[in-house]
């Protein structure tokens, strides 16, 4: 029952089963964002201490106050953020109070010289880096499961389908190897983007001028041959564990756009796997099944491919979110109004959707049930018609390409209408129309040519080559909380 105060405004994922209870959901939650904002603030003071802009005691006091996350309420910060448009303003107020309780002199060094966007952008990169560690782990697990499936079913024949219809035979091993290739492509893109996620520090308009002003006010002598701002930027990147940017990127949103593209690619790659699983697990096809399907509220006999369904749902949403993030590239001036703010929620939603999809893909592929007997039965559904391409090529050497194609087209139609096998129908047609050629194609030879198992081309060699690609990626370090 709702409380007397009315329904809660919290989002517990009731309508988002794909991301619920995933590691990425936790890593991108409000508490995680508050943690990252505090980490960014503490790293800033430590970086200033490293270049002589703050006393070491101030860095220690700010870092200690930032670790006490219990006193920073995300809901309170969110409500207070409306007055200034971002959560850093109320957070700085709360952090300054916490620092002053420890060391009154250190309070002046909280957020000194920075702008709110410096902290939000840096915190966002920290959140992304921490969340992507879980995604990359799940992608590695998915790739490993697909490698096992590809090797085990290297020669398992199945119908290749184009435009929803049987085309020519393939193998399930080749299909699984293709899925793995996409997953590894996604993993490599995400890993590269994650390694390049940068800290953000530019001050009010990207010149770092405030830090020079504070150095001047403090009477600090400049270090000969060394720019203070550049030294500070390097120190800040080191303290956060993020990459050092060439320039402040307040309105140069390549890091977010690159991440958006990698997330959309990952969602699509996993979506391809899901789409195939959904198609091949249809009752009338039955070539695949999820290890533990989901139930139905109305139909007790069903075992729905729920994981594939949730992955497919994510694949349809992330590209639209990436479009919003790409749109934010068109940001005016040195700091934008609206473009930057428009990134926050779509980026978090995209991370969560991909994180949930990666978790579901790892579970799906680990338990995927392959049914070779159904694959073989479906191969035979056309009575040999699935190898008409092979027959046309072989007969073309005797009849000419066009004549062979006309003959096979007519024979395939008759075989479908009469419900007879292609090999027998073809043998009768050859004896009736091309008796001189019929002697070269006795019944046994036609049955051999019409066997789909014998017409998988280089499928096995392609699987072998694909599996030579390394299946794991060296793990990059994850930025730590309040070093």
């Amino acid at each position: 029952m709702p409380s007397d105060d009315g329904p809660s405004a919290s989002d517990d994922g009731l309508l988002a089963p794909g991301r619920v209870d995933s590691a990425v959901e936790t890593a991108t939650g409000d508490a995680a964002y508050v943690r990252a904002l505090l980490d960014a603030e503490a790293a800033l003071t430590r970086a200033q201490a490293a270049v002589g802009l703050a006393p070491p005691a101030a860095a220690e006091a700010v870092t200690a106050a930032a670790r006490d996350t219990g006193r920073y309420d995300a809901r309170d910060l969110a409500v207070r953020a409306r007055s200034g448009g971002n959560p850093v303003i109320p957070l700085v107020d709360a952090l300054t109070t916490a620092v002053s309780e420890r060391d009154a002199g250190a309070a002046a060094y909280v957020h000194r010289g920075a702008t709110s966007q410096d902290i939000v952008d840096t915190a966002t990169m920290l959140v992304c880096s921490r969340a992507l560690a879980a995604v990359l782990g799940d992608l590695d697990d998915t790739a490993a499961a697909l490698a096992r499936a590809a090797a085990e079913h290297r020669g398992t024949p199945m119908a290749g389908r184009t435009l929803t219809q049987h085309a020519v035979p393939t193998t399930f091993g080749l299909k699984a190897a293709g899925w793995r290739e996409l997953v590894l492509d996604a993993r490599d893109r995400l890993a590269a983007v994650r390694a390049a996620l940068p800290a953000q520090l530019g001050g009010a308009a990207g010149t770092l001028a405030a830090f020079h002003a504070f150095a001047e006010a403090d009477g600090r002598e400049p270090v000969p041959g060394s720019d203070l701002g550049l030294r500070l930027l390097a120190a800040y990147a080191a303290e956060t564990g993020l990459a050092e940017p060439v320039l402040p990127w307040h309105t140069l949103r390549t890091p977010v756009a690159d991440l958006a593209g990698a997330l959309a690619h990952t969602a699509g790659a996993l979506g391809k796997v899901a789409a195939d699983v959904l198609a091949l697990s249809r009752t009338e096809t039955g070539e695949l099944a999820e290890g533990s399907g989901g139930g139905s509220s109305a139909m007790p006999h069903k075992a729905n491919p729920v994981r594939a369904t949730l992955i497919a749902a994510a694949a349809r949403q992330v590209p639209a979110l990436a479009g919003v993030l790409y749109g934010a590239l068109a940001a005016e001036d040195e700091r934008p109004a609206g473009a930057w703010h428009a990134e926050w929620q779509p980026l978090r939603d995209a991370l969560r959707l991909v994180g949930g999809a990666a978790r579901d893909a790892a579970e799906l592929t680990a338990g995927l049930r392959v049914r070779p007997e159904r694959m073989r039965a479906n191969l035979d559904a056309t009575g040999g018609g699935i190898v008409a391409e092979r027959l046309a090529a072989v007969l073309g050497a005797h009849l000419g390409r066009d004549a062979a194609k006309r003959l096979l087209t007519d024979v395939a139609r008759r075989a479908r209408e009469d419900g007879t096998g292609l090999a027998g129908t073809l043998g009768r047609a050859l004896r009736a129309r091309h008796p001189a050629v019929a002697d070269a194609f006795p019944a046994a030879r036609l049955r051999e040519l019409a066997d789909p198992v014998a017409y998988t081309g280089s499928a096995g060699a392609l699987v072998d080559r694909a599996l030579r690609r390394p299946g794991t990626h060296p793990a990059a370090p994850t930025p730590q909380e309040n070093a």
Side-chain angles (χ1 to χ4, degrees), residues 142-156 158 170-185 269 272-273 276 365 368 370 458-471:
T142 300
L146 292 175
R148 292 191 293 272
E152 180 181 352
H153 295 282
R154 176 184 184 274
T156 300
M158 66 179 296
T170 184
T171 69
F172 181 67
L174 184 57
K175 182 177 285 290
W179 291 347
R180 176 179 180 266
E181 196 74 6
L182 275 177
V183 170
L184 292 180
D185 287 345
K272 160 60 177 171
V273 179
D276 280 348
T365 54
L368 189 65
V370 182
S458 297
L462 289 168
V463 171
D464 295 341
R465 181 164 70 173
L467 291 181
R468 287 196 288 270
R469 180 176 180 179

Side-chain angles (χ1 to χ4, degrees), residues 408-420:
L408 262 298
T409 299
D410 180 53
V411 166
R413 178 184 56 78
R414 286 191 188 183
R416 285 195 306 272
E417 292 173 353
D418 299 342
T420 57

Side-chain angles (χ1 to χ4, degrees), residues 8-421:
S8 169
S10 66
D11 178 4
D12 296 317
L14 185 65
L15 300 181
R19 54 95 164 164
V20 165
D21 204 30
S22 68
V24 174
E25 180 184 46
T26 301
T28 57
D30 284 351
Y33 251 96
V34 172
R35 170 77 281 148
L37 291 166
L38 291 167
D39 288 345
E41 290 286 4
L44 176 61
T45 310
R46 292 197 303 273
Q48 293 195 61
V51 299
L53 286 177
E60 294 172 5
V62 174
T63 298
R67 288 196 185 108
D68 185 13
T69 57
R71 67 181 294 157
Y72 308 98
D73 181 75
R75 178 65 179 175
D76 176 65
L77 293 172
V79 172
R80 292 168 61 195
R82 284 190 52 76
S83 62
N86 72 75
V88 172
I89 297 171
L91 181 75
V92 169
D93 181 58
L95 179 59
T96 301
T97 299
V99 171
S100 65
E101 293 172 2
R102 295 172 177 270
D103 181 347
Y109 294 94
V110 174
H111 196 69
R112 194 186 198 206
T115 191
S116 295
Q117 190 172 351
D118 291 332
I119 302 303
V120 170
D121 280 347
T122 299
T124 296
M125 296 296 99
L126 289 172
V127 165
C128 291
S129 182
R130 293 163 183 171
L132 289 177
V135 176
L136 291 169
D138 284 332
L139 293 179
D140 279 338
D141 290 344
T142 300
L146 292 175
R148 292 191 293 272
E152 180 181 352
H153 295 282
R154 176 184 184 274
T156 300
M158 66 179 296
R161 296 168 171 91
T162 62
L163 302 181
T164 76
Q165 307 296 299
H166 281 206
V168 295
T170 184
T171 69
F172 181 67
L174 184 57
K175 182 177 285 290
W179 291 347
R180 176 179 180 266
E181 196 74 6
L182 275 177
V183 170
L184 292 180
D185 287 345
R187 180 207 63 186
D188 288 352
R189 283 163 171 76
L190 279 180
V193 168
R194 180 174 182 251
L197 293 176
Q200 172 76 282
L201 189 62
T207 64
L208 298 162
F211 301 105
H212 291 268
F214 282 118
E216 183 180 7
D218 292 343
R220 300 186 186 279
E221 294 293 331
V223 177
S226 175
D227 183 87
L228 173 64
L230 298 185
R231 288 191 291 119
L232 177 60
L233 186 54
Y236 188 49
E239 289 291 342
T240 61
L242 297 168
E244 180 184 350
V246 175
L247 298 171
W249 46 281
H250 293 142
T251 52
L252 309 174
R253 307 305 287 177
T254 296
V256 176
D258 281 350
L259 179 54
L263 290 171
H265 179 276
T266 302
L270 298 178
K272 160 60 177 171
V273 179
D276 280 348
V277 171
L278 289 170
L280 296 176
S281 62
R282 288 190 176 103
T283 304
E284 59 271 24
T285 305
E287 296 178 2
L288 297 176
E290 290 196 7
S292 56
S296 165
S297 65
M299 293 165 283
H301 66 285
K302 294 188 70 179
N304 294 322
V306 174
R307 291 179 182 83
T309 297
L310 295 177
I311 295 168
R316 284 161 172 76
Q317 295 175 76
V318 177
L321 297 169
V324 175
L325 298 173
Y326 277 121
L329 279 165
E332 74 282 359
D333 300 328
E334 278 61 56
R335 291 188 46 230
W340 169 54
H341 306 73
E343 293 174 347
W344 304 342
Q345 194 61 34
L347 180 55
R348 175 155 72 171
D349 287 345
L351 280 168
R352 287 179 162 184
L353 286 164
V354 170
R359 181 266 313 269
D360 289 337
E363 294 178 358
L364 169 64
T365 54
L368 189 65
R369 289 185 289 168
V370 182
R371 294 171 170 166
E373 71 285 354
R374 290 297 297 269
M375 293 177 175
R376 180 57 205 256
N378 289 335
L379 264 179
D380 294 334
T382 60
I386 197 167
V387 295
E389 177 188 71
R390 180 188 193 187
L391 290 165
V394 173
L395 287 172
H398 296 265
L399 303 176
R401 184 176 65 179
D402 290 342
K405 182 178 180 180
R406 286 194 300 271
L407 175 64
L408 262 298
T409 299
D410 180 53
V411 166
R413 178 184 56 78
R414 286 191 188 183
R416 285 195 306 272
E417 292 173 353
D418 299 342
T420 57

Side-chain angles (χ1 to χ4, degrees), residues 440-468:
F441 293 95
R445 174 60 173 156
L446 289 176
R447 286 195 299 272
E448 176 190 347
L449 291 172
D451 182 3
V453 175
Y455 191 54
T456 57
S458 297
L462 289 168
V463 171
D464 295 341
R465 181 164 70 173
L467 291 181
R468 287 196 288 270

